Amino acid sequence: MLRLTRFLSHPLFAVCAGGVAALGQAPFGLWPLSLLAFAVAVWIWKDSPTPRGAAVRGWAFGFGYFVVALSWLVNPFMVEPLKTAWMIPFALLFMCGGLALLWALASFAAKRFGLGAIGLVALWALAEFGRGYLFTGFPWALPAYIWLDTPPAHLVAWVGPYGLTTLTLLVSALLARAAVLRTLVARLSAVAVLAVLFGTGAWIAARPMAADSAAMVRVVQPNAPQALKWDPRYIPIFFDRALEMSDPEGADLVIWPETAIAPILDGAQAELRAINDRVAPAQTVAGVRRVEGYRAYNSAVVINPQGEVGQVYDKHHLVPFGEYIPFPRLLSALGFSTFTSEEGYGFSAGEGPALMDFGALGTALPLICYEAIFPRDLRGTARPDWLLHMTNDAWFGTFSGPQQSLAQSRFRAIEMGLPMVRAANTGISAVIDAHGEMRGSIPLGQAGAFTAALPVASPPTVYARTNELPFLLLIVMLFLLAATNCWRRKNRETD
């Protein structure tokens, strides 16, 4: 019994519990395990006698969570394993350990200032909010995403992903409280809040949707493995494959994924003519790199029915150490050129969000790869009619990375009440309606294409109109409740 007690208080147990918490993320979707594991994290925190001990256990839990949830991070380093595989342990340690520091800070502060489990939830949620902004942000695998394909997922239409993360952690805290107190009231409180999440989410999901528009889109998935994508011997093969699948079949717009056209835009005249010959009179939007002066851009371009380049969008939210690297020549010598354009010199950021006008299909907000994980990147323009996500998830491997990327795209659609068309190089390409449901898709790791009706947008959601205000109100309420509980505890101790 003593050995078991020691193990439960050991940071290694917290690491294991964090790993279990990550099993709620795609592709596992084991949300009950996640809730229980987050409850264990709260229990571990309460059992910590000192702020320092709470921080250590909070970090250990976060480290276990991120190692499992972000296990796909090893895949980019395996594209050229002889050059970069040696960096895998360091990448996981620094990335997962660094993100876990935010959870450690929340655990330390809640214990140091005696804020109780409610205060811990508020600080933990703020840590996740900060994760979406610090150092350009990385809000991947938010606790809110464990609710994919369940009614609570639809709450993001009201409170956004950070608000749903807060509610998720609150339910777990109530479960921990019920386990410790073992009273009927504590148990009923946890069950009641969970029931409210499911009931409210189901009510939001039941809102009627307009019939699909008459506009049709065709999504092309060439399935070019990352290790071969830029090989001169294979570039024509992948291009011809995409071209063969681009017969519009009644579609008004054909969509190719990120960097689907290999040559730089100014040198891609032959490819543009071939696309136009195949697709006209429909339009095409495709991913391509372009150069302007001494700057390179990761772009999406519209090819009009005349075979000319019309609208151009340049990706503005770039991937650190993926699309740009400080001191590129130095780090290129260490092997980082694998992850960047043109031997480590990287891309420049575009001016910001911009709409593309597709005529009868309405306006679309283009999102290139990484941009779709940021709720804030869906702002800054007039409200579009739909979202256009062009990505190359081949970097993420063939298991959890592409599945989680798709899950986040589906949450963006629910949050904004907007349909999304998603073209991914190796998958998963999909047409997603404003409820986050997939109307058509191409499986991961397969070449293919499909034509589907473009779903219609729903009215602007509460979250679309208020941004993070509901989340911030939740945090204020939790801090007020935590402060009240703290004041009561001190009064009882004084008495």
Side-chain angles (χ1 to χ4, degrees):
M1 186 64 180
L2 181 60
R3 289 182 179 178
L4 177 61
T5 302
R6 288 178 178 175
F7 175 70
L8 294 179
S9 62
H10 196 278
L12 181 59
F13 173 69
V15 171
C16 295
V20 172
L23 296 180
Q25 299 290 334
F28 305 103
L30 301 176
W31 63 265
L33 282 182
S34 282
L35 280 186
L36 292 175
F38 285 128
V40 168
V42 176
W43 175 81
I44 290 172
W45 174 85
K46 290 179 69 70
D47 190 58
S48 301
T50 65
R52 181 180 178 182
V56 169
R57 296 180 189 181
W59 181 88
F61 183 87
F63 182 74
Y65 178 84
F66 290 118
V67 162
V68 174
L70 305 181
S71 59
W72 55 266
L73 282 172
V74 305
N75 290 285
F77 298 90
M78 296 303 295
V79 172
E80 293 183 340
L82 295 180
K83 288 185 178 181
T84 55
W86 64 271
M87 290 185 278
I88 290 175
F90 302 98
L92 281 177
L93 177 63
F94 286 114
M95 186 67 172
C96 299
L99 295 175
L101 286 174
L102 293 172
W103 292 19
L105 182 61
S107 298
F108 176 87
K111 181 67 71 170
R112 172 65 180 80
F113 297 107
L115 297 178
I118 298 299
L120 172 65
V121 167
L123 289 168
W124 198 348
L126 281 175
E128 286 296 86
F129 180 71
R131 184 159 70 89
Y133 286 85
L134 293 175
F135 306 110
T136 78
F138 189 66
W140 197 286
L142 291 173
Y145 299 153
I146 69 171
W147 298 112
L148 184 69
D149 290 322
T150 70
H154 293 273
L155 286 167
V156 295
W158 282 14
V159 298
Y162 300 113
L164 184 55
T165 290
T166 307
L167 294 174
T168 302
L169 298 176
L170 179 61
V171 169
S172 294
L174 292 174
L175 289 173
R177 179 172 177 268
V180 171
L181 297 181
R182 299 180 182 179
T183 64
L184 181 61
V185 172
R187 292 169 181 170
L188 288 177
S189 298
V191 171
V193 173
L194 192 58
V196 168
L197 292 189
F198 272 83
T200 306
W203 178 72
I204 296 172
R207 67 189 189 276
M209 291 186 62
D212 291 345
S213 68
M216 305 290 288
V217 294
R218 184 164 179 81
V219 182
V220 176
Q221 182 171 299
N223 194 38
Q226 192 60 42
L228 303 175
K229 180 175 172 61
W230 301 110
D231 189 322
R233 297 169 297 175
Y234 286 88
I235 286 174
I237 296 174
F238 299 139
F239 179 80
D240 290 343
R241 180 188 297 172
L243 198 62
E244 289 173 5
M245 297 186 294
S246 295
D247 191 320
E249 296 186 2
D252 305 284
L253 176 67
V254 177
I255 303 170
W256 285 23
E258 177 188 15
T259 59
I261 300 175
I264 299 298
L265 181 60
D266 287 344
Q269 287 81 8
E271 285 78 8
L272 297 180
R273 284 195 299 270
I275 292 171
N276 180 64
D277 291 343
R278 184 76 176 186
V279 171
Q283 298 182 84
T284 304
V285 59
V288 65
R289 298 170 299 165
R290 73 178 194 92
V291 174
E292 187 177 297
Y294 293 99
R295 294 181 178 273
Y297 297 91
N298 185 356
S299 306
V301 300
V302 178
I303 306 169
N304 64 29
Q306 290 74 44
E308 301 168 344
V309 173
Q311 303 167 82
V312 176
Y313 166 72
D314 299 320
K315 183 178 181 182
H316 71 277
H317 200 148
L318 302 178
V319 182
F321 293 97
E323 290 175 311
Y324 71 95
I325 297 182
F327 312 110
R329 294 186 180 181
L330 171 63
L331 295 181
S332 180
L334 297 176
F336 275 103
S337 61
T338 300
F339 309 105
T340 60
S341 166
E342 303 301 334
E343 292 299 316
Y345 291 97
F347 290 107
S348 296
E351 294 182 359
L355 298 182
M356 285 183 164
D357 190 343
F358 290 106
L361 284 81
T363 57
L365 177 66
L367 304 163
I368 298 180
C369 192
Y370 190 63
E371 292 175 326
I373 76 170
F374 296 93
R376 71 179 190 267
D377 283 351
L378 275 66
R379 304 168 193 154
T381 67
R383 189 172 195 253
D385 296 302
W386 53 287
L387 304 171
L388 170 61
H389 186 200
M390 304 163 66
T391 184
N392 175 25
D393 288 354
W395 284 112
F396 303 159
T398 58
F399 186 55
S400 62
Q403 300 278 0
Q404 292 172 8
S405 180
L406 172 65
Q408 291 170 107
S409 293
R410 293 175 64 187
F411 270 93
R412 298 295 85 79
I414 301 170
E415 291 161 11
M416 305 305 290
L418 293 173
M420 175 184 285
V421 182
R422 188 174 196 270
N425 169 28
T426 55
I428 301 167
S429 300
V431 170
I432 304 167
D433 67 23
H435 282 186
E437 299 297 324
M438 293 192 293
R439 300 291 188 85
S441 64
I442 306 171
L444 180 63
Q446 294 184 21
F450 70 96
T451 299
L454 180 64
V456 173
S458 295
T461 62
V462 173
Y463 180 66
R465 294 194 300 266
T466 61
N467 296 329
E468 303 302 343
L469 181 60
F471 161 70
L472 295 175
L473 290 176
L474 271 174
I475 294 299
V476 170
M477 290 169 59
L478 290 177
F479 274 130
L480 289 175
L481 183 57
T484 300
N485 291 339
C486 182
W487 179 76
R488 288 175 177 172
R489 284 195 302 271
K490 289 183 178 180
N491 279 350
R492 283 196 298 268
E493 292 171 0
T494 303
D495 294 341

